[in-house]
Amino acid sequence: MALASLNLWQNTEQLNCTSREVKGKITNRPSHELEAIGLWLISFALVAVLSQLLFSLYYFNWELFSKVIYKSLVSLLVCVLIVLAVLAFDQPKKHLLKYILFFAITITSALGLTKTLTGSHAQSDTIFLYGFSFYTASIAYLLHSKQLSAKSIAACSNPLLLITGPIATCFGSVHHYSFKKRFKYFFPYILVGLFLHQAIATPLTKAFHLIALTDMISSCAYAVIFELFVYANFCGLSLMIYGVCGIIGVRIPLNFRQPFSSTNIVEYWRGWHTSLSTVLKSLFYTPTKRSLGTFPAIFVVYLASAMWHGVTINFVLWGVFHASVFILTIVFLRKAAFLPSFVLMIAGVLIGRALFADSDFPRLLEKLSFKYDGFVVLTKLAELPNTSKLALLLGIFFIVAEMVFQKCKYFKERNYKFYRIPIIQLILLVSTLGTICDDSGLDYAVYGQR
Amino acid sequence: MTLDLTMLSMVNANRFINIGAIPLVIVAYSVFLCVDHNRNVNIADIKHHIQDIQNSGSVDGLVFGGSNAFYSLSAESISYYTGMKWYNASMDSEVVTGTRIIHDLITRIDQTKVKYFVYSSILPYTIGEVNSYTLDQKVIGEGIKPIRSIFAYMKNGGNYPRTRNSEIRNGFGDIVFDRIKCDFTADNHFDLIHAREEIGISLESLIDKAIYFASMFPNASILIVLPSGYYGGLIFDDLMFDQALRTKFYSVLSGKHFQNSTVKIIVQPPYASVKQVCDGPWHANEDGRAWRTQNLIEFMIKSDASVSDSQGHPENVRGGAADPSRVSSLKPMTMHPPSPHLTH
């Protein structure tokens, strides 16, 4: 396993679209242009319905629907314009263009046109930049892998995917399976996603005020809460979109693969936001490794990732920190020091999340002084609403289960198989529906729509 | 043989869950949603509240905001001190203080006659909730989700009692404390984390709202109020935050070509004692309300008397405790003829 871990980002594309389980049950075949365009069209309705169900918007109405249509058309138009501009350039400039495209979100963030990811709602105010970070990264990847086509434009500007990703790095068809089979396989993903998003992520937003506490224990507690929130929100929505697309007959990347079923940070990153990992590997890791070697390539990858998330000091620190942890882990694994690499993963994830969460730099510095001030946070946690406390417990249970049982047959394929067992599905459904209420917390996509 | 039977029963159990139990739970939940929506008193409450404002006739001043304003500001006291007719139009949650409520409101009253509009918001004091306070936010219970979760209903024995706000307001829209329970005890010694949202984030929302209110009430002075809260024994210095917020607020407004005198911002001081709060850190009891309202009136008087700083804005009233004698004089909640020297 350690040696496998050293093979960085090995077969990431395979992880995304053709895992062993998928090969065994539902094979992929390339989708046709018509399928991609068809999905793009019906995604209007899907986005409107999902917005209603997940984001507690008004009752289904024309105003909402027209807004969805408008945003989607603008995204499609921008994608077409970008691709036309790309085609207008000659080959050497395309090389530069893909990097400009990837960092376009960095430029717009620096100019204040798009928002930095802070855990709060990061939706762009500018309608022309709706879903900008996702489709520019998609086009950059498609340009790199020479896959630009009408199908790929329809895939990366798909309104459903622009809610929260994944980046459209692959787009296969599963139409050759009957609707019944597709429903049976993909519907459980929707329930798992619903549970993560509604029963865990949404109530945890009620604990966001704890970011103001700067002592060591409170900062750690907030890092745990925020990690749970980001995972449950982002992964939950990704799983739902994965399930919906699968039922329709289109396979998109599975953006999360039980990241906590890991023994070190390298494995962790192979399960977290896999579509972005694919893009980063293609655009940054492979070419830099060839010219500068592995370790500089890792730094380049994390700094690029940091800039994609936002142009603030905390993200630079986050990038440098995670690159260092990653390199240190490689050193540990080469010496077969598994326990230190595991401890480093826990510390790396928590400290990394603390850096990610707080864009208020003076407050972040105060937190990094690691001052001890007792267990103030316990009083504050006790004051949280019951739904938030329950969400915290469920979230911790979810992550600990991923971690502890990672060798078991239901966990080792890292595709949420355990949570797709019928009896577990029933438990998740009851827990979700039992806790949902309108004022339990904020509904939004943490990575969404910027 | 035994293994086969076990497998068979597992398959049957899975099939039962997939085609029986899960659909059944979904259907049962749909029924629950229908029942819950029929019991939703939020929307009816809002309509009733706006009808009351219409019934009160033409108003000179409106107090608006969420529960902090509902509990902690008194339109009756302001009316008494200013000699003008004020109404407390605040809602019981700040989440529902968006455009739809204001639109409803302005169709019922003569908006051009409103001379003062006070908007009290806890927005800069909460982190990561800017999205909850957008102008086009829906009313709780209006979407597909239930107002209370199933677990909450079960906890309350299937019944979730809720008092209609119309039953606890007086003719000025103020809360009548005799009709509610201020359940402070030594055990629930609630205090508030001293949380301050990044100025840029909260400022954007406050400016949007200020401009919106100014456009809805063209002849009114708009007063944006950051409310008092109870922070327990916590000692902190908010001067930097307050000054930065005010300076940036006026600076951004000027950039948007707004007259400085039309829109003002005030940061109210924290409650000094737990004896001033009712059932939460933002909710004053009767004493706290009198104290906070007095503080607001003093600001308004200073503001109108042109006691201004170098930027042309009134001095911050933080730390300026209200005169106890005047506060006590506010307590009788009956309409009196205005004091001449306080009349605008």
Side-chain angles (χ1 to χ4, degrees):
Chain A
M1 182 184 289
L3 287 174
S5 299
L6 287 176
N7 188 0
L8 310 176
W9 285 292
Q10 62 168 354
N11 301 324
T12 327
E13 291 89 346
Q14 278 197 335
L15 280 176
N16 277 333
C17 289
T18 53
S19 69
R20 268 191 296 159
E21 187 201 33
V22 174
K23 277 179 185 169
K25 290 185 178 168
I26 297 181
T27 51
N28 295 284
R29 63 174 174 80
S31 63
H32 297 299
E33 273 74 5
L34 279 177
E35 282 173 336
I37 294 164
L39 177 70
W40 192 91
L41 288 171
I42 58 172
S43 292
F44 290 139
L46 285 172
V47 170
V49 172
L50 274 178
S51 301
Q52 168 61 52
L53 290 175
L54 304 175
F55 303 125
S56 291
L57 298 178
Y58 302 122
Y59 285 119
F60 190 81
N61 59 24
W62 174 247
E63 193 184 345
L64 174 66
F65 196 66
S66 58
K67 202 183 270 184
V68 170
I69 292 175
Y70 184 47
K71 280 180 176 177
S72 307
L73 285 175
V74 168
S75 307
L76 177 67
L77 185 68
V78 176
C79 283
V80 170
L81 288 176
I82 290 173
V83 172
L84 287 177
V86 165
L87 295 175
F89 282 94
D90 58 8
Q91 194 60 33
K93 284 179 184 168
K94 277 183 190 170
H95 188 65
L96 181 65
L97 251 173
K98 65 191 178 195
Y99 292 106
I100 294 174
L101 276 173
F102 183 85
F103 287 115
I105 189 70
T106 312
I107 297 162
T108 53
S109 294
L111 295 173
L113 299 171
T114 49
K115 291 177 183 170
T116 292
L117 284 179
T118 57
S120 176
H121 202 273
Q123 184 171 351
S124 171
D125 295 330
T126 318
I127 192 125
F128 297 106
L129 298 174
Y130 174 78
F132 194 62
S133 60
F134 291 110
Y135 64 73
T136 48
S138 299
I139 298 173
Y141 175 77
L142 294 169
L143 188 58
H144 176 82
S145 54
K146 300 187 175 82
Q147 291 177 38
L148 279 178
S149 65
K151 183 193 88 177
S152 58
I153 295 171
C156 65
S157 65
N158 186 292
L160 199 57
L161 268 59
L162 295 185
I163 292 177
T164 187
I167 298 166
T169 50
C170 71
F171 203 76
S173 170
V174 284
H175 262 125
H176 47 292
Y177 283 90
S178 66
F179 180 81
K180 193 180 166 188
K181 274 189 178 174
R182 295 200 308 263
F183 188 85
K184 194 178 171 189
Y185 181 78
F186 286 104
F187 182 71
Y189 281 103
I190 298 178
L191 287 189
V192 179
L194 193 69
F195 168 76
L196 284 171
H197 188 265
Q198 287 297 314
I200 298 179
T202 301
L204 283 181
T205 57
K206 293 266 183 185
F208 275 8
H209 61 281
L210 297 177
I211 196 174
L213 299 173
T214 55
D215 65 285
M216 184 175 63
I217 306 289
S218 305
S219 304
C220 286
Y222 184 72
V224 171
I225 290 170
F226 195 69
E227 175 72 16
L228 277 175
F229 166 75
V230 176
Y231 177 46
N233 183 298
F234 193 11
C235 174
L237 283 172
S238 299
L239 289 180
M240 277 188 270
I241 290 167
Y242 180 77
V244 168
C245 286
I247 290 172
I248 292 166
V250 174
R251 177 174 282 277
I252 57 168
L254 182 55
N255 220 10
F256 282 81
R257 304 190 66 85
Q258 292 176 208
F260 294 95
S261 293
S262 310
T263 52
N264 57 63
I265 201 89
V266 180
E267 287 179 12
Y268 170 85
W269 282 117
R270 283 171 57 196
W272 187 281
H273 203 172
T274 57
S275 60
L276 180 64
S277 297
T278 306
V279 176
L280 289 169
K281 180 200 168 192
S282 305
L283 291 185
F284 298 97
Y285 180 72
T286 310
T288 318
K289 188 189 172 193
R290 215 173 289 140
S291 52
L292 298 173
T294 304
F295 291 169
I298 290 168
F299 266 99
V300 170
V301 163
Y302 277 101
L303 285 175
S305 175
M307 291 299 99
W308 185 84
H309 286 88
V311 196
T312 44
I313 298 172
N314 66 311
F315 274 114
V316 177
L317 288 176
W318 176 84
V320 172
F321 174 77
H322 265 300
S324 309
V325 170
F326 201 102
I327 289 168
L328 203 57
T329 302
I330 292 172
V331 173
F332 281 146
L333 290 177
R334 279 179 181 164
K335 291 177 181 172
F338 301 119
L339 185 63
S341 64
F342 179 73
V343 174
L344 193 61
M345 177 184 79
I346 304 290
V349 168
L350 287 184
I351 298 173
R353 193 54 71 193
L355 293 171
F356 187 101
D358 209 336
S359 54
D360 182 339
F361 194 59
R363 186 171 61 199
L364 184 60
L365 281 182
E366 209 179 326
K367 285 181 180 180
L368 293 176
S369 66
F370 298 110
K371 68 176 182 204
Y372 177 73
D373 191 22
F375 288 82
V376 196
V377 72
L378 291 181
T379 323
K380 303 298 173 197
L381 287 174
E383 287 168 4
L384 289 176
N386 287 338
T387 45
S388 305
K389 287 179 202 162
L390 181 65
L392 193 56
L393 287 175
L394 288 173
I396 289 170
F397 176 79
F398 197 91
I399 281 180
V400 168
E402 268 187 31
M403 204 176 274
V404 172
F405 301 111
Q406 57 183 283
K407 301 275 169 57
C408 299
K409 69 171 183 176
Y410 286 111
F411 284 88
K412 68 180 177 189
E413 289 192 41
R414 300 183 66 164
N415 57 6
Y416 301 96
K417 194 174 180 179
F418 175 74
Y419 300 103
R420 292 187 282 120
I421 297 171
I423 184 68
I424 303 296
Q425 286 268 293
L426 187 61
I427 293 169
L428 294 186
L429 182 66
V430 170
S431 317
T432 310
L433 298 182
T435 53
I436 285 180
C437 72
D438 208 7
D439 63 346
S440 65
L442 300 178
D443 285 318
Y444 58 89
V446 68
Y447 264 62
Q449 304 159 36
R450 64 190 272 273
Chain B
M1 182 68 178
T2 316
L3 190 67
D4 284 350
L5 282 173
T6 313
M7 288 294 287
L8 192 65
S9 58
M10 272 181 68
V11 169
N12 285 337
N14 286 346
R15 189 174 294 163
F16 169 74
I17 291 168
N18 280 333
I19 62 172
I22 290 178
L24 191 70
V25 169
I26 293 171
V27 170
Y29 191 71
S30 307
V31 173
F32 164 75
L33 283 181
C34 294
V35 173
D36 179 81
H37 278 78
N38 283 336
R39 294 172 68 174
N40 181 0
V41 294
N42 275 10
I43 297 162
D45 232 18
I46 289 166
K47 283 180 183 163
H48 196 280
H49 180 39
I50 289 172
Q51 185 65 46
D52 281 348
I53 299 171
Q54 185 182 17
N55 295 343
S56 71
S58 170
V59 286
D60 301 309
L62 278 171
V63 174
F64 193 61
S67 61
N68 81 83
F70 181 39
Y71 277 78
S72 322
L73 289 174
S74 165
E76 188 174 7
S77 299
I78 306 175
S79 299
Y80 166 65
Y81 264 83
T82 59
M84 303 170 98
K85 189 168 184 183
W86 282 70
Y87 193 88
N88 191 341
S90 52
M91 315 305 293
D92 67 345
S93 167
E94 194 156 342
V95 176
V96 295
T97 56
T99 47
R100 302 178 61 211
I101 304 299
I102 296 291
H103 275 140
D104 268 2
L105 193 62
I106 58 174
T107 55
R108 309 293 183 98
I109 58 170
D110 187 350
Q111 64 201 94
T112 57
K113 287 187 179 168
V114 177
K115 297 189 184 80
Y116 291 92
F117 186 88
V118 170
Y119 170 64
S120 178
S121 171
I122 59 166
L123 175 64
Y125 296 159
T126 51
I127 294 174
E129 291 194 17
V130 173
N131 197 44
S132 296
Y133 302 87
T134 51
L135 280 165
D136 57 354
Q137 186 69 30
K138 73 179 182 68
V139 175
I140 288 177
E142 197 179 19
I144 204 163
K145 289 185 179 182
I147 298 172
R148 302 286 171 200
S149 68
I150 290 182
F151 291 159
Y153 273 103
M154 286 163 70
K155 197 179 164 188
N156 287 280
N159 185 29
Y160 210 92
R162 189 179 181 281
T163 315
R164 283 177 180 270
N165 282 336
S166 50
E167 292 165 10
I168 54 171
R169 287 182 191 267
N170 66 12
F172 290 87
D174 293 339
I175 198 166
V176 180
F177 283 103
D178 294 343
R179 295 178 200 165
I180 63 158
K181 190 180 169 190
C182 283
D183 55 356
F184 167 75
T185 64
D187 298 330
N188 62 5
H189 199 281
F190 42 76
D191 52 15
L192 198 61
I193 292 176
H194 181 240
R196 297 290 180 261
E197 179 59 280
E198 275 182 58
I199 288 176
I201 295 172
S202 47
L203 195 65
E204 196 180 325
S205 171
L206 288 179
I207 294 277
D208 281 353
K209 288 201 162 181
I211 291 174
Y212 173 73
F213 294 140
S215 65
M216 289 294 110
F217 302 100
N219 301 324
S221 290
I222 309 295
L223 189 56
I224 305 292
V225 180
L226 273 61
S228 306
Y230 176 65
Y231 297 88
L234 204 61
I235 298 168
F236 51 86
D237 180 11
D238 252 355
L239 203 61
M240 294 279 281
F241 175 83
D242 297 352
Q243 280 180 348
L245 184 71
R246 283 204 317 278
T247 309
K248 285 187 181 173
F249 183 84
Y250 291 123
S251 156
V252 174
L253 270 185
S254 303
K256 292 180 185 281
H257 310 294
F258 248 79
Q259 288 179 356
N260 286 347
S261 56
T262 315
V263 182
K264 294 187 178 70
I265 187 165
I266 167 181
V267 182
Q268 294 204 276
Y271 298 117
S273 161
V274 77
K275 290 178 181 170
Q276 289 179 300
V277 288
C278 175
D279 60 357
W282 301 115
H283 296 172
N285 59 17
E286 198 160 4
D287 285 344
R289 178 172 71 176
W291 182 81
R292 197 186 144 192
T293 306
Q294 181 64 36
N295 182 272
L296 181 69
I297 293 168
E298 283 178 10
F299 177 85
M300 289 165 65
I301 293 165
K302 275 186 184 180
S303 175
D304 276 10
S306 301
V307 181
S308 307
D309 62 14
S310 57
Q311 286 181 302
H313 307 299
E315 289 289 344
N316 179 24
V317 293
R318 172 176 286 283
D323 178 358
S325 61
R326 293 176 72 187
V327 171
S328 61
S329 72
L330 278 170
K331 280 188 177 176
M333 292 297 191
T334 46
M335 201 55 180
H336 293 288
S339 312
H341 67 283
L342 289 172
T343 307
H344 285 257

